[in-house]
Amino acid sequence: QDCLEKLYAGLLGADAALAYCGWQNVGIKQKRGEPYVTTEYPEDQKAEMFLRAASPWPIHAALVCRELLESVGGFDLNWSTCMDYDLWLRTAVANPIVLVPEVLAFYRHHGSSQITSKEWRQARNVWDVKKKFIANQPQLVSSLSEARLKELTDGALLKRGFRAYWKRDLISAHRIFRMAFPTRAWSAKDMRYMLPALVLPENLFVQLIGSVDQNNSDSGLPGKLKSFVFEQKCVPWRIQHEFEKWMELKARNQFPTFYRLIRFGRTKDIVLPITNGPKHHFLVIMKKHRGMFLENYY
């Protein structure tokens, strides 16, 4: 009941533009429901720290000077989610802020009714909010390299895709992987998980991963992926064709390890195509023997 009083006293005492406090999530089990007091933000690290994650505190855990709020135009109602995160970036990064180190705010969760339950939409908006802030406030992020900014934006989007994947929120994973693919923030090893989302419609992607989960003691993901893409009649011919073309024109040269994994399972031999075409009929397999590679033609 004294939350506003203490936040206001913090504003006046530090001559700050924004005061924030600790909070507690109510209705969530395990550690996420424990009281939490966030960190302080050093001026020379503030931009990077705010870009590391989504909203740094619940919306009712902060008090902002009215003049500052009016000067930045208040909330941007064009965002379906993340309006608070967008506001904190526009107000807190460029202005002095102060921490009131007490748990004064409480955030009650109600399961799937929370707006953040749509992980893919939340991930997309956080990504877009970050990019907009960087584009509009280049002077505030000038100390960060392009590689670091890419890691904080595109890399963070990809991480959210994998987080959804391992939680088996497969619809969100499918959509986030497709958003993240053009950014090239992924590595060759990531393609083992991303590729099905890129070549398969959402419903077939969900079916595929569900099938792998049910039969994970069989031939493993490479065999299942080949079987699902090339042998299942429910996969349209166009998808099979586009997948085959991508494998031969791009994956073979850009991701040779992944190519060998899909084409030949877990073999460690070096497989080199001799002929061109959608499917190779003549190959040379380099087998290592006593430190030397021996050629075998097929």
Side-chain angles (χ1 to χ4, degrees), residues 120 164 168-176 202 205-206:
W120 64 270
R168 286 308 190 251
D169 179 0
L170 296 177
I171 291 177
S172 290
H174 183 272
R175 298 183 183 186
I176 296 173
E202 189 174 279
F205 173 74
V206 173

Side-chain angles (χ1 to χ4, degrees), residues 39-297:
T39 185
E40 295 187 79
Y41 295 83
E43 286 298 321
D44 59 341
Q45 302 176 30
K46 195 190 293 185
E48 182 176 9
M49 293 175 70
F50 269 77
L51 288 172
R52 284 179 189 170
S55 194
W57 48 69
I59 190 168
H60 58 295
L63 184 66
V64 188
C65 290
R66 179 174 179 175
E67 294 79 7
L68 175 59
L69 200 60
E70 291 176 343
S71 69
V72 300
F75 288 104
D76 185 347
L77 301 182
N78 292 315
W79 301 110
S80 58
T81 65
C82 304
M83 287 182 288
D84 53 342
Y85 181 43
D86 170 68
L87 182 66
W88 306 140
L89 284 173
R90 290 185 287 119
T91 55
V93 176
N95 295 279
I97 62 177
V98 61
L99 168 65
V100 177
E102 296 183 52
V103 175
L104 301 174
F106 297 87
Y107 195 104
R108 183 169 295 278
H109 291 255
H110 300 280
S112 60
S113 65
Q114 290 292 322
I115 194 170
T116 54
S117 64
K118 295 291 187 180
E119 176 67 18
W120 64 270
R121 183 180 293 123
Q122 183 82 353
R124 182 189 62 194
N125 284 355
V126 168
W127 183 44
D128 287 339
V129 164
K130 289 180 179 181
K131 291 190 297 181
K132 181 179 178 181
F133 170 74
I134 292 170
N136 291 343
Q137 303 291 341
Q139 73 281 2
L140 296 178
V141 297
S142 59
S143 62
L144 302 175
S145 66
E146 289 189 16
R148 181 56 176 156
L149 289 175
K150 185 174 182 65
E151 182 183 357
L152 292 168
T153 53
D154 301 337
L157 176 68
L158 182 61
K159 286 181 179 179
R160 292 190 75 148
F162 276 106
R163 189 186 311 156
Y165 180 87
W166 294 118
K167 288 169 58 179
R168 286 308 190 251
D169 179 0
L170 296 177
I171 291 177
S172 290
H174 183 272
R175 298 183 183 186
I176 296 173
F177 282 159
R178 289 195 166 197
M179 285 188 280
F181 179 71
T183 69
R184 298 194 63 84
W186 42 269
S187 63
K189 65 180 181 180
D190 296 328
M191 288 302 297
R192 176 178 177 180
Y193 304 96
M194 294 178 64
L195 185 60
L198 302 177
V199 300
L200 297 176
E202 189 174 279
N203 61 328
L204 294 183
F205 173 74
V206 173
Q207 291 178 32
L208 170 62
I209 305 304
S211 174
V212 172
D213 286 343
Q214 292 176 5
N215 304 284
N216 57 13
S217 61
D218 294 342
S219 59
L221 180 59
K224 291 180 181 301
L225 183 57
K226 287 194 295 184
S227 173
F228 193 88
V229 173
F230 296 114
E231 298 174 14
Q232 294 292 328
K233 294 181 180 180
C234 61
V235 180
W237 174 87
R238 182 181 181 86
I239 293 177
Q240 298 181 39
H241 177 72
E242 291 299 321
F243 179 85
E244 184 70 47
K245 186 168 66 173
W246 182 87
M247 285 288 293
E248 297 302 325
L249 297 181
K250 292 186 178 181
R252 178 161 61 90
N253 296 321
Q254 296 180 13
F255 315 110
T257 301
F258 176 79
Y259 180 85
R260 291 197 301 272
L261 185 66
I262 295 300
R263 286 284 189 239
F264 307 102
R266 298 186 180 277
T267 178
K268 295 182 180 179
D269 298 332
I270 299 177
V271 181
L272 302 174
I274 299 176
T275 59
N276 295 320
K279 291 187 176 180
H280 295 301
H281 299 285
F282 297 95
L283 305 172
V284 56
I285 300 182
M286 311 287 288
K287 291 182 177 292
K288 194 170 185 179
H289 178 68
R290 295 183 179 180
M292 300 178 61
F293 282 101
L294 305 179
E295 296 184 0
N296 290 282
Y297 290 86

